[in-house]
Amino acid sequence: MINKRGMKIKKISLIVALFFACSSSLMALSFTYNYLGIEFKCKGYNDIATITSFNKNAAKVVIPAEVTNPKNNKTYAVSTVDLYDEGIVYKTTSVALEKGITTISDNCFQNFKDLQQIYIPSSVEVIEKKAFNSKRLPKFNMPSSISEDDLSKGLAIYPKTTEVEYDPMKDIDLTDYIDNPSQVEINTDVVVHDDKPIEAKPGTSDIDFNIPRTNEKRENTFCIIIANENYVNKDTPQVKYAAQDGKTFYDYCLKTLGLPRENIKMLTNATYLKMKDQLKWLEKIANLYGNDANFIVYYAGHGVPDEKGNCKLVPVDVSINDVENGYSLKELYNLLGKITTKSALVLVDACFSGNDRGDTWAMNEEHRGITRKLKQESIGGNVVVMTAASNTETALAYNEKAHGLFSYFLMKKLQETKGNVTYGELFDYINKEVLRKSTVAMDKTQTPSVSYSSKIASTWKQLKF
């Protein structure tokens, strides 16, 4: 005898299940992300993404642990690699998973017929069934908690989390993993053609690759990154490479300095209200952490002096000629000086000459008579400030590296030292290299400057990130 009531309940349950499945699918956003010359297809849900495919003809591939949707500029942490598709046969010979990826899905690498080696980090928590083709197993570079025998049998594996950290990327030269050198070129030398340096594309500099990774976690260090490149007002020129400066510095904070993702606030093309609101976030953190907190504030964008010589940072919704409505450095220094903090480092890749990064006068005729003598704002607390240029000099673009000149050498030093550098060593390096490059290669003079409170006059050089 058929139980009609039971059948009705089953039908309702099935409909509900299908509804939620469809709803979940609809909420997941599909997008593509380019990394090292390879286009990855991704699905993002909330703050997590899955990589579902890439160019099947790519020989060597690094699968990123972080992707950005170009449509809305939202960044996702990659949790899962799910590459199985009956219709795709990959010709890839080497695959490296970046540290942070946690799941390799079932059948993931079944259709990788030429796969010779794979690098698996200790962040992987699950390798599902039949992830690899048992007839064509690659060379595994992975934590000892993962059994190659289990992989060959197609078993699901759950590596022990007590395994010593294993980062497969630390010994990999990413220059070997560029899929299309014509699209992605790492620049290590200045290239001159007809006496003019060849401009690089953003994201292709040597500091954008081989970013060192640390196992150290700086749980009490907090950072605000403001990268203002695209200004709304037509009378305000764009700031060349500022967005890339901010993005790459974010990567160094996350990977090299070991800041937790939630400790970093990244603002690209920030309005006045957003800048003011986010900088006040530091005050809230200081109230919670007190002397245990370290702060980093990084700014790339326009700077401008007002008629009295006060230095202002220019939000993207403010004209460079509307100097009174900028965000003043005095306000920033006062904020950092009054809060309780272990240390605060301010990095400013901007100048206050009225010029843009191409050393071209950016302000209108009305402001040509603006004071050329800048005020030296007082600094209190445990604050150190490094700025890209002195007095009326211009903070230049480094076209061959697709970065600001100051920002390039800042991150170059972090790359070379793996973040283990004192503020004194960092400034000495930046000052020397920026002055040399601007004078010899650009026939300009750009002299970075450093300021600090009297409280730490004898100790600031020994401070570290």
Side-chain angles (χ1 to χ4, degrees):
M1 180 174 162
I2 298 174
N3 188 332
K4 292 184 179 181
R5 185 172 180 273
M7 289 181 65
K8 187 175 181 180
I9 291 173
K10 285 183 179 181
K11 285 183 179 180
I12 293 172
S13 299
L14 180 59
I15 291 170
V16 170
L18 287 171
F19 171 78
F20 280 108
C22 292
S23 298
S24 176
S25 176
L26 288 171
M27 286 187 285
L29 295 176
S30 297
F31 59 92
T32 59
Y33 175 74
N34 286 286
Y35 185 55
L36 296 178
I38 296 172
E39 185 176 82
F40 292 87
K41 290 187 177 180
C42 316
K43 287 185 178 179
Y45 179 74
N46 289 338
D47 295 321
I48 303 299
T50 296
I51 289 181
T52 58
S53 70
F54 55 79
N55 179 7
K56 66 181 181 180
N57 295 315
K60 293 185 175 183
V61 176
V62 173
I63 297 180
E66 186 176 87
V67 294
T68 300
N69 184 346
K71 296 178 182 177
N72 57 14
N73 208 31
K74 179 178 174 62
T75 298
Y76 300 83
V78 175
S79 66
T80 303
V81 180
D82 185 6
L83 303 172
Y84 183 69
D85 185 326
E86 289 183 356
I88 300 178
V89 177
Y90 291 87
K91 297 181 180 180
T92 306
T93 58
S94 180
V95 173
L97 277 64
E98 283 193 337
K99 183 179 174 183
I101 293 170
T102 59
T103 304
I104 299 174
S105 70
D106 59 317
N107 296 301
C108 187
F109 294 98
Q110 281 288 340
N111 282 355
F112 282 67
K113 298 185 181 302
D114 300 319
L115 189 61
Q116 297 173 13
Q117 60 181 346
I118 185 164
Y119 298 82
I120 301 174
S122 54
S123 60
V124 169
E125 300 171 355
V126 181
I127 301 176
E128 296 181 349
K129 291 180 180 180
K130 298 181 180 180
F132 297 91
N133 191 319
S134 60
K135 296 179 181 179
R136 293 185 297 273
L137 286 178
K139 176 185 176 183
F140 291 98
N141 303 273
M142 58 190 181
S144 58
S145 58
I146 302 175
S147 166
E148 186 171 337
D149 186 50
D150 288 345
L151 290 174
S152 68
K153 293 177 181 178
L155 302 177
I157 299 173
Y158 304 88
K160 297 177 182 178
T161 56
T162 55
E163 171 67 24
V164 175
E165 287 279 340
Y166 173 74
D167 184 0
M169 302 296 294
K170 67 178 182 179
D171 297 319
I172 291 180
D173 183 359
L174 287 185
T175 57
D176 293 333
Y177 280 75
I178 298 177
D179 184 57
N180 190 343
S182 66
Q183 292 181 359
V184 179
E185 181 180 350
I186 294 181
N187 301 281
T188 56
D189 298 298
V190 175
V191 180
V192 177
H193 178 68
D194 292 336
D195 296 326
K196 291 183 179 180
I198 295 177
E199 292 188 16
K201 294 180 180 179
T204 66
S205 174
D206 54 311
I207 61 168
D208 299 318
F209 300 90
N210 295 325
I211 298 176
R213 295 166 182 269
T214 181
N215 290 328
E216 182 179 352
K217 291 295 181 185
R218 291 181 168 90
E219 301 285 352
N220 293 349
T221 299
F222 303 86
C223 179
I224 290 179
I225 300 170
I226 300 172
N228 286 349
E229 178 169 333
N230 298 318
Y231 283 77
V232 175
N233 292 278
K234 293 182 179 179
D235 65 349
T236 306
Q238 310 309 303
V239 179
K240 211 172 187 179
Y241 313 129
Q244 186 63 48
D245 288 338
K247 180 183 182 302
T248 305
F249 188 67
Y250 175 93
D251 289 339
Y252 276 91
C253 287
L254 187 69
K255 299 175 182 179
T256 306
L257 300 180
L259 274 64
R261 195 181 303 273
E262 61 268 22
N263 287 22
I264 309 171
K265 300 291 186 181
M266 174 75 188
L267 299 177
T268 304
N269 299 324
T271 62
Y272 178 83
L273 290 177
K274 284 186 177 179
M275 286 176 62
K276 196 174 183 69
D277 181 62
Q278 288 301 314
L279 289 167
K280 282 193 172 182
W281 174 72
L282 298 178
E283 195 170 8
K284 297 176 183 177
I285 298 298
N287 291 335
L288 295 172
Y289 285 78
N291 286 325
D292 292 331
N294 297 291
F295 293 127
I296 303 169
V297 177
Y298 172 91
Y299 175 81
H302 275 305
V304 66
D306 65 15
E307 286 80 358
K308 297 180 181 179
N310 299 302
C311 297
K312 304 288 186 72
L313 305 179
V314 185
V316 296
D317 58 341
V318 172
S319 166
I320 198 170
N321 293 298
D322 190 10
V323 294
E324 296 302 323
N325 288 324
Y327 186 93
S328 71
L329 286 182
K330 181 178 180 180
E331 185 175 354
L332 174 61
Y333 298 162
N334 286 344
L335 172 66
L336 294 173
K338 74 178 183 180
I339 61 178
T340 303
T341 176
K342 187 176 181 181
S343 69
L345 176 64
V346 181
L347 301 162
V348 181
D349 195 347
C351 60
F352 302 93
S353 62
N355 291 354
D356 63 16
R357 279 188 171 182
D359 201 24
T360 301
W361 182 257
M363 304 177 75
N364 61 25
E365 291 296 325
E366 179 185 347
H367 292 89
R368 283 191 179 275
I370 209 165
T371 180
R372 307 295 283 180
K373 186 176 181 180
L374 305 180
K375 277 188 178 180
Q376 297 300 315
E377 304 293 354
S378 61
I379 299 173
N382 298 315
V383 180
V384 178
V385 180
M386 298 183 194
T387 53
S390 299
N391 300 317
T392 58
E393 294 174 350
T394 299
L396 299 165
Y398 193 176
N399 291 320
E400 300 93 315
K401 303 294 185 181
H403 280 285
L405 187 60
F406 173 86
S407 290
Y408 173 80
F409 285 111
L410 160 65
M411 289 179 273
K412 187 65 177 176
K413 190 62 174 178
L414 292 179
Q415 184 185 58
E416 291 178 351
T417 62
K418 298 181 180 179
N420 185 19
V421 59
T422 65
Y423 290 174
E425 293 167 340
L426 178 64
F427 179 74
D428 288 345
Y429 175 85
I430 294 173
N431 185 57
K432 179 181 72 174
E433 296 300 331
V434 168
L435 188 55
R436 283 180 175 179
K437 182 60 66 176
S438 63
T439 303
V440 175
M442 304 174 182
D443 198 23
K444 310 285 184 183
T445 300
Q446 180 179 333
T447 314
S449 65
V450 62
S451 306
Y452 41 82
S453 72
S454 57
K455 180 181 177 181
I456 56 172
S458 61
T459 59
W460 76 269
K461 286 188 175 182
Q462 285 74 49
L463 294 175
K464 288 188 172 184
F465 285 98

